Amino acid sequence: MPLLHFHMLEGRTDAEIKTLLDAAHEAMLEAFEVPRGDRYQLVSEYKPSRMIVEDTGLGIPRTEKVVVVQMFSRPRGEEKTALFYKLLTEHLERTCGIASSDVMVSVVENQDAHWSFGLGRAQFLTGELGGK
């Protein structure tokens, strides 16, 4: 945890998606110092007519490589979250050739009671999970 949901245009190979997911996981490990096995990732692919990502008037150019990342997480703090943005774009550019202008991130914060990892229990509340 965090849970990362990647939204992208269809057309990438399975190998390209795996590389992207691995790069994002490395950025998350560095920024949030979570255990390596703490990995929850989803990918949704869209036809070009079903995904519009504009620049909010900032003059940010987008290409067909654009990726929108939704991160669902307990509060991480502004400093670590900003570090994640930086590391994510660096890793994606280096390993996938995705420009930082093609990476948009939105964070949805929630609380411990909003997570169940299975077995019908809220593991953060029961004490089965703690940490960051």
Side-chain angles (χ1 to χ4, degrees), residues 11-94:
R12 288 179 168 93
T13 67
D14 287 345
E16 289 171 324
I17 291 172
K18 181 182 182 326
T19 299
L20 186 151
L21 297 178
D22 289 347
H25 188 61
E26 290 302 319
M28 190 193 69
L29 292 172
E30 288 178 48
F32 301 131
E33 301 170 348
V34 297
R36 182 158 290 281
D38 199 354
R39 186 170 180 169
Y40 302 93
Q41 298 173 318
L42 302 169
V43 174
S44 294
E45 296 179 275
Y46 304 90
K47 295 178 181 190
S49 64
R50 307 259 190 310
M51 184 172 164
I52 299 170
V53 183
E54 295 183 351
D55 69 358
T56 315
L58 297 171
I60 299 172
R62 307 283 191 204
T63 73
E64 72 284 346
K65 290 185 174 186
V66 68
V67 177
V68 176
V69 182
Q70 289 179 296
M71 181 176 82
F72 301 86
S73 177
R74 304 161 83 188
R76 301 285 172 173
E78 291 179 8
E79 189 173 301
K80 285 186 177 189
T81 302
L83 177 61
F84 173 68
Y85 300 155
K86 178 182 180 295
L87 292 171
L88 178 65
T89 56
E90 289 174 358
H91 284 276
L92 291 180
E93 186 157 20
R94 183 175 60 255

Side-chain angles (χ1 to χ4, degrees), residues 89-104:
T89 56
E90 289 174 358
H91 284 276
L92 291 180
E93 186 157 20
R94 183 175 60 255
T95 62
C96 304
I98 300 172
S100 62
S101 57
D102 270 331
V103 181
M104 179 181 166

